[in-house]
Amino acid sequence: MDSDYLTKAKDILKKYHQEHLLYFYDELSDDEKNKLLNQILSIDFEQIFRLYDNSMTNNFALTQELSPLEHFEKSSFSKSEIDRYVSIGENVLKQNLFAVVTMAGGQGSRLGYHGPKGTYLLNLKPVKKSLFQIMCEDILRANKKYSITIPWFIMTSDENDMATKEFFEVNNYFGYPRDSVTFFKQGKLPIINVDRNLMLQEPYLIREASNGNGNVFLSMSKNGILDEMKKLGIKWISFGGIDNVLLKNVDPLLLGLAIDKNEQIASKSIFKKEPLEKTAVYCKKDGKPAILDYCDIDLELSEKKDENGKFLYREANMLSHLMSIDAVDKVSKIELPYHRAYKKNSFVNDEGVKQVPDKPNSFKFENFIFDAFLYFDNMILLRVNADEEFAPIKDFTGIYNPDTAKEKYLKFWKSAEV
Ligand code: UTP
């Protein structure tokens, strides 16, 4: 590596007081030295420290005008309404105008599982199924039903891209036509510890991580995914996470509803049972669809009802969204805001020893997908039954653990087969 590069890297680190990142430099192999210097030169230190400093000084009090976002309830539709919407949606599916995006670029830090979260095996005795297989089976069912092949796009991150692709190879793409599966990588940002320092993941590697599922739009544009979809004639795209084992990626009801009501965005919600549960809900901010963080919800607001006795702020986000290609095109040109998340990240200490924290020790900056909805006047919100569509895996100890997900998954499929 050119000594110029080393000088440049040292200057940058000095400017931002990050000289510790070269602490082990002299002990590294030539390859490792190159890797580390390249990484230092590619990081936007100005941006990451600006994000960090702003997140520390921001006053998070809600300044926008709050109003409820109207929602539909699947359970209140009549059979003829359901049939009508489903038939509109199915028509779009049968014309091959629909694609699925699975957002699988997250760190899965709460689960703490080694490897991409999608490779986690759910023990459905006697079989074990990975989250990727479960997602794949869901899309394959729709393919079979409508005699189509839905193009499936999977967002990965620098951290898990290779392992994800290998997993698909080893498992023969779970029977999905491989020409119809496309992986694309999302963006990343360095992690910052509580002392406002970047951290070493290895002596030759600065810890960076995926920058949130809201980066999906920009990444689709940057990686040519949006162009590919346009070439394929795709008109509607479903977006979901990898960790909900009851996610319905292909739902003609939601699709038909959005088309019938002439909206470009539609999402599903589940009813928030406990008023003070730590769950964000849908709302409108300054008249635009948005999400209201649980920190901004008190008992009075959570219990508020309309004149028909319907709760106004109890529709919880379940990361199941549908957008028209035009809507995705529009938001792919917009820089969404970053939110700060406090997470567990292992690091190499000054003695060169790897430290694995047992509680959060560092900040990650993330775009959230729902911030894109603020750029539209309205959207469809459809409340579905959590027992039928929501069984995420987040960690081993909380309510969204593998055992609860397994139980819901087995119960749902048992009743579906009867
Ligand atoms: P979560 O917000 O639950 O995060 O992601 P996570 O990364 O899976 O887990 P923790 O918070 O570190 O424990 C919800 C969905 O969004 C995806 C995840 O892969 C998951 O499917 N996601 C999250 C991304 O695709 N990219 C990201 O940068 C973050």
Side-chain angles (χ1 to χ4, degrees):
M1 168 71 59
D2 200 315
S3 68
D4 264 10
Y5 276 50
L6 179 58
T7 313
K8 262 190 213 160
K10 279 184 173 169
D11 287 348
I12 293 172
L13 297 186
K14 189 162 180 225
K15 180 172 171 194
Y16 295 99
H17 309 292
Q18 299 299 306
E19 289 99 327
H20 62 281
L21 298 173
L22 285 180
Y23 206 73
F24 303 102
Y25 185 77
D26 293 336
E27 300 156 28
L28 303 178
S29 68
D30 283 351
D31 254 13
E32 291 172 339
K33 282 180 178 166
N34 283 345
K35 200 168 176 185
L36 181 57
L37 293 185
N38 274 326
Q39 196 184 10
I40 293 169
L41 297 180
S42 72
I43 287 175
D44 187 342
F45 285 84
E46 198 62 42
Q47 179 197 27
I48 190 65
F49 285 115
R50 191 179 59 241
L51 287 175
Y52 178 86
D53 293 339
N54 286 346
S55 77
M56 290 299 173
T57 54
N58 263 354
N59 175 4
F60 289 106
L62 195 64
T63 50
Q64 298 109 318
E65 193 193 321
L66 190 67
S67 57
L69 174 67
E70 251 184 76
H71 69 273
F72 294 92
E73 290 176 21
K74 186 175 174 182
S75 60
S76 314
F77 285 144
S78 65
K79 165 129 186 8
S80 68
E81 280 175 311
I82 295 217
D83 287 349
R84 195 166 71 79
Y85 295 134
V86 166
S87 130
I88 298 172
E90 287 184 334
N91 198 23
V92 168
L93 294 173
K94 286 177 195 159
Q95 291 180 70
N96 295 303
L97 306 175
F98 182 88
V100 169
V101 172
T102 299
M103 297 176 291
Q107 279 190 299
S109 62
R110 282 169 290 172
L111 193 64
Y113 166 71
H114 185 71
K117 207 180 195 179
T119 65
Y120 179 77
L121 293 174
L122 196 60
N123 193 353
L124 301 165
K125 292 175 189 156
V127 290
K128 286 185 180 174
K129 284 185 189 177
S130 68
L131 303 188
F132 278 129
Q133 178 175 352
I134 290 172
M135 213 50 66
C136 179
E137 287 177 354
D138 179 59
I139 312 172
L140 279 174
R141 266 189 297 274
N143 286 352
K144 192 169 166 210
K145 183 165 181 190
Y146 302 113
S147 306
I148 54 175
T149 303
I150 295 173
W152 184 18
F153 296 87
I154 298 168
M155 182 166 83
T156 62
S157 57
D158 227 23
E159 271 182 295
N160 70 18
D161 182 69
M162 214 151 57
T164 300
K165 288 175 178 162
E166 273 169 18
F167 193 70
F168 270 73
E169 277 300 333
V170 169
N171 288 286
N172 202 18
Y173 280 62
F174 311 100
Y176 210 91
R178 58 172 67 206
D179 289 353
S180 298
V181 180
T182 309
F183 299 94
F184 66 101
K185 263 202 266 181
Q186 69 168 108
K188 58 183 179 177
L189 280 174
I191 298 283
I192 293 200
N193 70 13
V194 287
D195 299 323
R196 200 179 178 270
N197 285 324
L198 273 62
M199 314 194 294
L200 286 174
Q201 176 177 340
E202 302 290 344
Y204 56 87
L205 185 69
I206 297 167
R207 186 171 275 292
E208 294 184 88
S210 52
N211 55 356
N213 57 33
N215 190 247
V216 65
F217 308 117
L218 215 62
S219 305
M220 283 170 71
S221 162
K222 269 192 189 160
N223 290 291
I225 302 297
L226 206 48
D227 285 342
E228 194 180 327
M229 286 185 177
K230 286 180 192 166
K231 244 188 258 162
L232 291 170
I234 300 300
K235 296 284 181 249
W236 290 93
I237 304 151
S238 137
F239 292 89
I242 184 59
D243 52 12
N244 175 8
V245 298
L246 284 181
L247 181 72
K248 307 275 174 284
N249 289 283
V250 190
D251 187 348
L253 174 66
L254 189 70
L255 188 53
L257 191 59
I259 294 169
D260 187 70
K261 306 290 174 212
N262 205 15
E263 294 296 348
Q264 295 198 61
I265 303 178
S267 291
K268 290 186 179 175
S269 62
I270 49 166
F271 179 62
K272 175 173 167 174
K273 286 190 188 141
E274 296 299 325
L276 291 182
E277 197 183 300
K278 290 185 171 177
T279 308
V281 297
Y282 282 91
C283 67
K284 278 192 162 184
K285 288 180 182 169
D286 287 342
K288 309 281 185 180
I291 291 279
L292 187 61
D293 199 50
Y294 68 82
C295 317
D296 295 319
I297 306 173
D298 59 15
L299 190 62
E300 192 189 343
L301 190 76
S302 201
E303 304 255 282
K304 242 186 184 164
K305 292 179 180 172
D306 69 8
E307 58 284 1
N308 302 315
K310 249 181 160 184
F311 283 109
L312 296 174
Y313 297 101
R314 291 287 267 276
E315 299 312 306
N317 175 30
M318 52 168 274
L319 194 57
S320 173
H321 310 295
L322 176 76
M323 293 172 77
S324 72
I325 187 103
D326 293 341
V328 174
D329 201 32
K330 172 172 163 173
V331 295
S332 72
K333 300 182 177 87
I334 294 168
E335 284 249 0
L336 297 179
Y338 277 103
H339 301 259
R340 194 183 70 194
Y342 196 32
K343 300 212 176 191
K344 276 188 278 191
N345 278 290
S346 61
F347 62 97
V348 171
N349 71 11
D350 291 352
E351 279 85 49
V353 180
K354 195 141 208 182
Q355 305 283 298
V356 184
D358 52 13
K359 48 184 197 300
N361 63 330
S362 49
F363 299 108
K364 182 181 189 241
F365 289 88
E366 298 193 349
N367 295 135
F368 291 162
I369 190 166
F370 49 70
D371 278 329
F373 304 164
L374 278 169
Y375 297 89
F376 299 84
D377 289 333
N378 207 0
M379 64 182 274
I380 296 290
L381 189 59
L382 176 66
R383 186 202 289 177
V384 295
N385 183 342
D387 290 336
E388 292 172 2
E389 305 202 24
F390 192 58
I393 297 175
K394 295 294 179 190
D395 57 26
F396 286 104
T397 50
I399 50 171
Y400 299 128
N401 63 63
D403 284 338
T404 53
K406 179 181 83 177
E407 215 172 282
K408 280 178 102 175
Y409 179 90
L410 290 174
K411 195 168 166 200
F412 173 77
W413 282 107
K414 199 169 165 204
S415 64
E417 278 156 17
V418 193

